[in-house]
Amino acid sequence: VVDTIIATAQSQDRVILTELESKRLLSCYSIATPAIIHCRTAEEAASAASSIGFPIVVKLHSETITHKSDVGGVKLNLHSPEQVRDAFFEIQQGVEKDDFLGVTVQPMLDTTDAFELIVGSS
């Protein structure tokens, strides 16, 4: 799986993995990450959110935009399918068509005693 993720990115001349690809890669090494579902439509996103359980985070899925929050591509603490649908459309309308590959839906985690770790390599 790891080789496929890396080979796919390389075959597309990408040097940065998407969040979805990164989390799949981490899971291959038994590093726990929150559940994540890639959705291409607002209805898929609402359904995924309902299956995960609220509250939810919806994030832009893009191979070209890495700093999602800079373009309004992160919607936090959503509590209903309607809010998730609205978030989908807001994110979609905030970026160019070629940059939008859908959204990811994830549970909103309690980060009270958590640390954020950002890893980069070249």
Side-chain angles (χ1 to χ4, degrees):
V1 173
V2 171
D3 290 339
T4 301
I5 292 169
I6 301 298
T8 299
Q10 288 175 332
S11 73
Q12 297 170 350
D13 294 324
R14 290 189 288 124
V15 295
I16 298 173
L17 299 177
T18 67
E19 181 181 10
L20 182 62
E21 291 167 329
S22 298
K23 286 184 175 179
R24 286 184 177 154
L25 189 136
L26 290 171
S27 72
C28 291
Y29 294 99
S30 300
I31 299 172
T33 62
I36 183 170
I37 301 173
H38 176 221
C39 303
R40 291 179 176 83
T41 69
E43 285 307 314
E44 284 180 12
S47 177
S50 294
S51 71
I52 291 172
F54 295 96
I56 287 292
V57 176
V58 176
K59 296 182 183 180
L60 169 67
H61 181 66
S62 175
E63 294 175 346
T64 54
I65 298 174
T66 55
H67 299 285
K68 297 177 280 298
S69 59
D70 291 349
V71 296
V74 180
K75 305 297 182 186
L76 303 174
N77 211 25
L78 306 176
H79 288 272
S80 70
E82 294 77 22
Q83 287 182 328
V84 171
R85 284 186 205 92
D86 290 345
F88 180 97
F89 292 121
E90 288 174 20
I91 292 170
Q92 183 179 42
Q93 292 168 0
V95 297
E96 297 293 324
K97 183 178 179 181
D98 290 344
D99 294 327
F100 183 80
L101 300 176
V103 300
T104 59
V105 175
Q106 305 170 49
M108 182 82 190
L109 301 179
D110 178 3
T111 59
T112 304
D113 293 319
F115 295 93
E116 180 177 18
L117 173 65
I118 300 173
V119 178
S121 69
S122 57

